[in-house]
Amino acid sequence: MSGLLTEFSKSGIKAAAVWFVRPDGTYYTLEKGLTDLNLRERDYFPRLMAGEDISGDLVISKSTGKRTVIVAVPIQKNGKVIGALGTSLSVEDISRMIDEKMGLPKNMFFYALDHQGRTSLHRVSAFLLSYPSDMGSKSLTKTVGEMLANPEGTVTYDFYGERSVIYKKLPLTGWVYAIGIVTGRSDQQDVELPPILSELEKKITAELNIMDQDVAQLAKNLSEKDLKTAGTGKMLGDLCRSYPYAVDCSVVDRNGIMVLVEPEKYAVFAGSNISAQEQVICLKESKKPVMSNVIKTVEGIDAVDLEHPVLSSRGELSGSVSLLFRPESLFSHIIPPVLQGMPVEAFVMQTDGRILYDADKEEIGRMLFDDPIYKPFPQLTALGTIISREKTGTGSYEFRREGTEKVVKKDAHWTAIGLHGTEWRLVIMHVRAGNELSSRKDVVKTGNASYVDALRTLANNTEMKKALSGKDSEKIKNIFKDFYSEHEGLYSIQWLDSQGTNRYGYPEESSLINFDMKTLKTPSSEPMLQALSDKKERSFDAPLMEGGKAFSLWFPCMAKWIISE
């Protein structure tokens, strides 16, 4: 096949790969010959071996790692398929070519969707192979369904700005091609943040502000003093010891020279010239405080620099006070205690995609848009692009569960945090599980006895009481799992012990685990504790800490949660 493939490669078609595949899935490429890879698990492969032409299937190429569209034809001999000839065309290259030829202004856009609703063409490469319906806009989700169902038409939806689109489905690939324009303001700017995200934002902002005030106060105290005195060194040391995540504190003169550095182990860097660093240049020009993104420091580490100017009584710049800190240490100091017992994870990202904090330490410092570990997850990189552009929002993506190789669906909410014009994105994620996002509030409230009676029966079940008394967590989990499986529409089923601690729940992805309602409060803590105190059945609406709202039914021993919206 080598000669034939070589001839085909001269056709002018810019293919990411040209290949010949055997019926067992092994295949050859022009560049590598016989590869050690296999195409059997590709969705299109059975259809191709059944004699069907393939045109428009989206995959991440095994041989190149690129986002590609497959065009392939079976090869038959004596009525039997003996293999297939195929090409993998880069959708990023095709999108770039279209964008260059169309020359659309910034407020206009084009894209294409495949038959599953995935983005097959887009000027923003991170959106390729992602599902627009998972990007957090309910109106866009509805619109995608409409576009896939009709041959052509016009639609209007909100996706970080009201957008008007004209679209048409073409028969060759079955793709829907669309071109549109941003026509109005986004209503997503007013989305209410989940309580746990608001709580994290408040605590992180408070910590940053306190640190900022302390650096500002020291800069003010030095306004009429010699920057090199022993007294200045002591004040620097006191400042640095106040923050466990601080690396060092220094006084920088007007020329960008570090004249004093504390603690002592970093004193060797006194005399270093940092005048070329962006934040130092900005402070010198503006005479205002600055905070950098992560930089490579003269100390040889990756850290963030917070600086305040030292100004004379006449407003002249004498130098600055610098506090260098590791953002992952700052966030590790704040985030885990807040999320204790919560069914959520969190990460913090610079707007360029650098991960500043993640519970998985292996991800800290990686670049979301470039690192190979994120390439197989186009929904994540697409959502990351939106997160970097928008101050707040919500969306969904697929990625590995923390500490495992299992791929799960996660819902994300984010907001902006930072100081002095430097913005980071604080993101919380919640793993979807089972019946999540089902809505049975109306069924329960209108008197459908099956849920209420079933829960009441379970609360009085002898086996359940024995398991609770014996703290048999495995038995309780199995009983909860069976109950959850038998009753469609539940968000989770949980147990609050007599001391006010939520001990068990199923599924764990939607439950509070060993969560003390008396000290680690949620919007539902007060009515839950009241139900516990009264030892009576109770129901109420409440926001979930991870986002969304729930209708909750409480019985002595037991609780059931149901998503209402």
Side-chain angles (χ1 to χ4, degrees), residues 17 69 85 109 204 262 321 337 361 381 393 399 401-402 416 418 525:
V69 55
L85 182 64
F109 52 91
I204 292 171
E262 289 285 343
V321 173
K361 294 182 180 180
T381 53
F399 194 60
R401 181 190 291 275
E402 182 184 334
S525 295

Side-chain angles (χ1 to χ4, degrees), residues 19-45:
W19 42 267
F20 169 73
V21 62
R22 294 165 164 171
D24 64 358
T26 58
Y27 69 101
Y28 297 78
T29 67
L30 184 59
E31 294 79 14
K32 300 179 181 179
L34 180 63
T35 72
D36 58 355
L37 304 171
N38 198 291
L39 300 180
R40 280 177 301 187
E41 73 274 18
R42 293 296 199 192
D43 290 342
Y44 63 80
F45 186 73

Side-chain angles (χ1 to χ4, degrees), residues 47-219:
R47 292 184 280 126
L48 186 59
M49 290 299 105
E52 180 182 334
D53 290 350
I54 303 300
S55 180
D57 281 53
L58 297 172
V59 300
I60 295 178
S61 172
K62 288 179 176 288
S63 54
T64 68
K66 293 183 178 181
R67 297 179 175 102
T68 58
V69 55
I70 300 300
V71 178
V73 294
I75 299 173
Q76 299 190 25
K77 184 176 182 180
N78 299 326
K80 182 180 179 181
V81 175
I82 62 169
L85 182 64
T87 60
S88 303
L89 304 172
S90 167
V91 288
E92 185 171 350
D93 289 346
I94 297 171
S95 297
R96 186 182 303 112
M97 177 190 70
I98 293 172
D99 191 34
E100 290 172 355
K101 288 183 177 294
M102 294 182 77
L104 296 175
K106 288 185 177 180
N107 67 330
M108 292 191 70
F109 52 91
F110 75 90
Y111 59 86
L113 304 175
D114 76 352
H115 66 283
Q116 297 180 31
R118 287 183 299 174
T119 305
S120 49
L121 298 173
H122 202 288
R123 63 168 23 155
V124 180
S125 61
F127 287 172
L128 296 170
L129 274 66
S130 67
Y131 287 89
S133 55
D134 286 335
M135 294 302 155
S137 167
K138 292 180 180 179
S139 64
L140 176 56
T141 299
K142 180 180 178 182
T143 298
V144 168
E146 181 181 339
M147 294 171 72
L148 295 178
N150 298 308
E152 59 183 279
T154 58
V155 290
T156 300
Y157 58 87
D158 178 73
F159 182 64
Y160 300 97
E162 187 178 89
R163 296 164 186 254
S164 295
V165 168
I166 184 169
Y167 67 91
K168 185 172 185 176
K169 185 182 294 183
L170 298 185
L172 177 63
T173 59
W175 290 0
V176 175
Y177 295 81
I179 185 168
I181 186 169
V182 180
T183 57
R185 176 184 177 274
S186 171
D187 59 19
Q188 295 187 41
Q189 295 173 0
D190 301 321
V191 172
E192 184 177 351
L193 299 180
I196 192 63
L197 181 59
S198 297
E199 182 70 12
L200 277 176
E201 178 193 20
K202 181 171 65 176
K203 287 186 177 297
I204 292 171
T205 299
E207 186 75 9
L208 288 172
N209 285 339
I210 291 171
M211 179 172 58
D212 188 56
Q213 290 165 13
D214 285 349
V215 176
Q217 185 60 53
L218 180 52

